[in-house]
Amino acid sequence: MVLHEVVDPILRRRWRQMVEEQTKRAENAGVDHELEATEAELYQYVRAQHRWPRDVADPRVRECKGVHFAAQELAEWEEATGLSLSDLNSAHIRALGEEQQLHNLERELHQYGEAVAQEEERSRALAAAAEPSPEEKLAELEALEAEIRADLEALRKRQGAAASAADSEG
């Protein structure tokens, strides 16, 4: 990579340390509980609308690590260290940062898409397992038919007995 050939190894080490520090600060910044509650409520609504079983895991991606805004970080780094990398082509640095951003976002979207596809497949499998087989449906219908026939026969016998009792009285 062209950038690594031009930048001094000491500066690269400092840069890496700064990125690690910012990542740690971001991780320790805390969670937006209101946002998390809203997202969880929306997920529950979607799960109910799709009739997903309760044990289906929430597929939301909670972290967006790896997305770095390199151009902004470079400006902050220059300001914090007092060093200048103006001998490098700033447009080239921004282009590399934007390309890295795009790559990270595409990777995260791909991972999210895979997770959603796996959950949908799992949901379909659970739904298919809950659906009775055609043989089970046929057996249930035959049992219902036999029960209805028995009930009709019992009604006919009662009607016949009631009619006989009415004839004998009259």
Side-chain angles (χ1 to χ4, degrees):
M1 180 178 220
V2 176
L3 191 60
H4 286 291
E5 295 171 2
V6 178
V7 178
D8 182 41
I10 295 171
L11 294 177
R12 283 188 298 201
R13 191 174 324 113
R14 286 183 186 169
W15 175 259
R16 239 179 288 127
Q17 288 173 346
M18 288 181 64
V19 170
E20 288 173 5
E21 288 173 10
Q22 287 179 359
T23 304
K24 286 179 185 175
R25 269 186 278 168
E27 289 173 353
N28 295 333
V31 177
D32 184 347
H33 296 290
E34 185 178 351
L35 176 62
E36 287 294 317
T38 303
E39 287 179 344
E41 183 179 341
L42 287 171
Y43 171 71
Q44 294 302 323
Y45 175 77
V46 169
R47 187 186 55 74
Q49 292 299 312
H50 290 282
R51 294 188 176 108
W52 292 340
R54 287 201 177 272
D55 63 339
V56 172
D58 189 346
R60 291 179 292 138
V61 176
R62 296 180 186 272
E63 298 176 6
C64 293
K65 291 181 181 175
V67 178
H68 295 285
F69 301 97
Q72 181 182 357
E73 288 178 353
L74 180 60
E76 292 172 359
W77 179 78
E78 285 180 344
E79 184 178 315
T81 61
L83 299 172
S84 175
L85 298 177
S86 59
D87 57 330
L88 296 175
N89 181 350
S90 62
H92 181 68
I93 293 171
R94 275 194 298 279
L96 288 174
E98 290 170 0
E99 184 177 330
Q100 182 64 38
Q101 257 185 306
L102 182 61
H103 174 73
N104 289 339
L105 288 171
E106 287 174 343
R107 185 184 70 239
E108 288 180 23
L109 283 172
H110 178 72
Q111 291 171 345
Y112 180 73
E114 287 178 344
V116 169
Q118 288 173 354
E119 286 301 322
E120 286 178 351
E121 184 61 35
R122 183 171 174 260
S123 177
R124 281 191 206 107
L126 288 172
E131 183 71 23
S133 69
E135 292 83 16
E136 292 172 330
K137 287 180 182 178
L138 180 61
E140 184 179 342
L141 288 174
E142 287 174 343
L144 185 61
E145 182 183 10
E147 183 180 340
I148 291 172
R149 287 181 191 272
D151 289 345
L152 284 173
E153 187 63 34
L155 284 173
R156 286 186 188 130
K157 285 181 181 178
R158 273 194 238 151
Q159 286 176 348
S164 297
D167 287 341
S168 63
E169 289 180 8

